[in-house]
Amino acid sequence: VLSGCSKPTTRSVSSSASRGASSSHNREWFIFVAKSLPSPLLSSFTAKLQDLLGNAAHSGDIVHVVGTPDHEPLANFTIPEGTMRKRLHDPTVLQQVRRVAEVFSPASAVKTAEDCGQLQLPMVSSSISSLRRTKFPSRVILIGNPIYEDEDQRGWSMAGGHVPTDSSLDSAISPFHNVRDFAPETSISWLTPSSNWGSDRNHRDAVIRFYRLFFQHNAATLCRVTVDTHAAFFSETSQFSDTLIPNETDD
């Protein structure tokens, strides 16, 4: 909710994998990137994308890049065999890398992490479903601001220390309700523009818990929320070890 409003649907919180051709290792990657990001994160993203395409992904992997908040498909790579140089100089790969670099050029950068654009998280699973081309396990990387805000959903803003209650996942008026389930074996990493997003540490912890519950509720797993670009792209371990149980009642 907006600061000063009171609604029962929210509560306030105090202030390189190796290459390989085996299909058993293949993945379909979905990278959702806010179109407005701080310049250092834009540079880091484009560098890691090239590392993924040229080195870390297995030949045969599919990699989608989607710009948010409008969920515009920007690139669709099928990873060829060969060395990093051969992969990145494949005409189809090279053309699409150039397009992504143009969209996320320094000219589109914002001055501060707080200005970072939105991901429109409730749309992610539907976008994946429309783009998905294989039955490979899905690897999703979200790059953007975790603080949800939508001009059309102002009552659900996470600004000002707010976070949706667990019951909002089953509320008909919630943007986080009636979301399409993710495919089996979908793992998700969230790359944040800074380490101090949100109102304070308690707020960050509560938002992360809500997102973990949201993805769990929709058959996926949030494995990591980090400011480390390399970890977001390539870490194979989860920073969370527990399964969440929704609160039966919310304060």
Side-chain angles (χ1 to χ4, degrees):
V1 293
L2 296 176
S3 178
C5 297
S6 176
K7 287 189 180 286
T9 51
T10 61
R11 67 179 187 275
S12 182
V13 180
S14 68
S15 347
S16 308
S18 60
R19 281 196 301 270
S22 172
S23 62
S24 64
H25 297 293
N26 281 122
R27 292 176 175 174
E28 191 160 0
W29 302 72
F30 300 87
I31 307 173
F32 291 82
V33 193
K35 290 182 179 178
S36 296
L37 291 170
S39 184
L41 185 53
L42 285 175
S43 299
S44 182
F45 155 63
T46 53
K48 289 302 177 187
L49 176 62
Q50 292 186 64
D51 191 10
L52 172 65
L53 300 174
N55 185 52
H58 294 264
S59 60
D61 280 9
I62 308 295
V63 180
H64 306 271
V65 179
V66 181
T68 70
D70 53 353
H71 284 233
E72 177 188 4
L74 298 173
N76 183 306
F77 303 95
T78 299
I79 306 300
E81 296 183 354
T83 64
M84 183 173 188
R85 178 177 175 81
K86 184 176 180 181
R87 288 182 177 198
L88 293 180
H89 283 79
D90 177 273
T92 303
V93 172
L94 184 61
Q95 180 182 23
Q96 293 191 90
V97 166
R98 285 174 174 167
R99 183 187 181 200
V100 171
E102 181 178 346
V103 171
F104 297 105
S105 68
S108 69
V110 295
K111 293 182 179 180
T112 67
E114 289 71 24
D115 295 328
C116 172
Q118 290 289 306
L119 291 166
Q120 280 299 326
L121 187 67
M123 296 171 58
V124 166
S125 59
S126 293
S127 292
I128 289 175
S129 179
S130 68
L131 294 170
R132 188 173 172 84
R133 293 169 48 191
T134 73
K135 293 186 178 181
F136 298 156
S138 297
R139 181 80 161 82
V140 180
I141 302 170
L142 307 173
I143 307 177
N145 190 347
I147 300 301
Y148 177 80
E149 293 192 78
D150 184 341
E151 286 295 315
D152 296 328
Q153 297 281 354
R154 293 192 177 191
W156 296 90
S157 171
M158 294 183 183
H162 291 91
V163 62
T165 60
D166 294 1
S167 61
S168 66
L169 297 175
D170 295 311
S171 170
I173 63 171
S174 167
F176 300 101
H177 173 64
N178 200 28
V179 172
R180 187 185 187 108
D181 277 357
F182 290 83
E185 299 184 85
T186 296
S187 61
I188 300 166
S189 294
W190 196 316
L191 177 62
T192 63
S194 70
S195 59
N196 61 348
W197 54 271
S199 298
D200 54 28
R201 183 172 180 175
N202 287 340
H203 186 213
R204 288 190 289 275
D205 288 346
V207 171
I208 290 172
R209 180 191 174 278
F210 175 78
Y211 284 140
R212 289 184 61 207
L213 195 63
F214 167 78
F215 287 118
Q216 181 180 299
H217 191 74
N218 293 288
T221 303
L222 179 61
C223 297
R224 185 167 297 275
V225 179
T226 181
V227 73
D228 184 333
T229 310
H230 186 87
F233 271 76
F234 304 126
S235 177
E236 296 292 338
T237 60
S238 175
Q239 71 184 83
F240 311 111
S241 59
D242 57 326
T243 299
L244 295 177
I245 300 174
N247 293 324
E248 293 186 6
T249 59
D250 292 303
D251 295 333

